[in-house]
Amino acid sequence: DAPEGADLPLDSGGGLPANTKMIYTADMSLETKDFDGACEALDGIVEDLGGWFESRSIYQGGGSRSLRCTVRVPAKSFQSFLEQAGQAAHVTCRDEYTEDVSEAYYDQESRLVTQRTKLDRLHALLAQATEMEAIISLENAISDTELEIEQLTGSLRKYDSLVGYSTITLRLEEVYKLSTDEEVAVTFGQRLGSAFALGLQRGISGLEEFCIALAETAVVNGAEV
């Protein structure tokens, strides 16, 4: 069954059956001017929600730092983490995904029951077998069945982990200015002054070129005389 109290992040109607096996994941990109403060806040959020960092790396380059991490939190706290992380730093991207693995989960669960029943019967037959050929054949069948049971059990445990704990891939960038910061408005007077200064600069540059050309002409004419 799904974890007790697990919410349904992407199902606005909240009408999924209780035994539905849903996997919730998200990709989230954040930016902050206070990198240390944001990292500390994220650490606190993960701890408070009963989650953990599956991976966590901090990179330094170009005078700024960045955090790359994979966070696991209980499925019931999936939306809560995304909202709180969005308060700890500015969100630049947030993508949420959902996957219904109910069919695959219950199919493997049914196969596991079948294999366990088969194993019990094989052991019963082995206990009654007297011929060496039959014994060897039954032992091989038991070994194959035990391996199948082990694989199915491992697969179901993985599903349980993914269903019970959501996965968030998170990126945090240290920035000098947030992408939402407004550019300083440029007034008409400032634009006019800038254009005048540029025109003046170009005029002076043109005058200098004219004087240089005139001087070169005078030198050439003097030499010819």
Side-chain angles (χ1 to χ4, degrees):
D1 296 338
E4 182 180 354
D7 56 7
L8 307 174
L10 303 183
D11 179 32
S12 58
L16 291 177
N19 60 348
T20 301
K21 299 294 183 179
M22 303 296 294
I23 297 176
Y24 297 108
T25 59
D27 290 328
M28 196 172 193
S29 296
L30 308 170
E31 62 181 11
T32 180
K33 297 178 182 178
D34 181 10
F35 186 80
D36 293 326
C39 286
E40 184 177 350
L42 289 173
D43 290 344
I45 295 169
V46 172
E47 182 178 356
D48 291 343
L49 294 178
W52 71 92
F53 287 94
E54 196 169 63
S55 65
R56 190 173 190 271
S57 301
I58 293 179
Y59 302 92
Q60 176 83 44
S64 63
R65 293 167 291 176
S66 63
L67 168 70
R68 299 288 185 275
C69 62
T70 300
V71 179
R72 300 293 302 277
V73 296
K76 64 182 180 180
S77 302
F78 178 66
Q79 287 293 337
S80 179
F81 174 83
L82 296 180
E83 293 168 2
Q84 292 186 51
Q87 295 172 359
H90 174 248
V91 180
T92 58
C93 179
R94 171 174 160 176
D95 296 317
E96 300 176 40
Y97 310 95
T98 181
E99 180 182 4
D100 186 350
V101 295
S102 303
E103 183 176 353
Y105 184 93
Y106 292 115
D107 174 67
Q108 294 198 22
E109 191 175 58
S110 176
R111 289 170 56 192
L112 179 59
V113 172
T114 300
Q115 292 299 316
R116 284 174 174 169
T117 301
K118 177 181 176 181
L119 182 63
D120 290 339
R121 291 175 179 173
L122 288 171
H123 278 297
L125 290 172
L126 181 62
Q128 299 173 3
T130 57
E131 296 183 2
M132 184 58 64
E133 184 177 351
I135 291 174
I136 294 175
S137 178
L138 287 168
E139 287 179 342
N140 289 335
I142 287 174
S143 178
D144 292 341
T145 303
E146 288 176 339
L147 178 59
E148 181 71 13
I149 289 174
E150 182 180 345
Q151 292 174 343
L152 289 170
T153 301
S155 180
L156 288 172
R157 284 176 179 170
K158 182 178 180 179
Y159 273 133
D160 285 335
S161 175
L162 293 174
V163 169
Y165 288 86
S166 299
T167 304
I168 301 96
T169 302
L170 187 146
R171 297 167 292 278
L172 174 66
E173 302 288 345
E174 182 179 31
V175 296
Y176 174 73
K177 182 181 67 173
L178 299 179
S179 58
T180 54
D181 289 351
E182 295 182 358
E183 297 288 346
V184 178
V186 180
T187 65
F188 174 76
Q190 290 173 322
R191 292 174 60 191
L192 184 62
S194 178
F196 177 78
L198 180 60
L200 181 61
Q201 181 179 3
R202 289 177 177 174
I204 293 175
S205 178
L207 182 60
E208 290 176 347
E209 293 296 330
F210 173 75
C211 292
I212 292 173
L214 187 62
E216 290 176 346
T217 301
V219 170
V220 170
N221 290 337
E224 291 178 350
V225 172

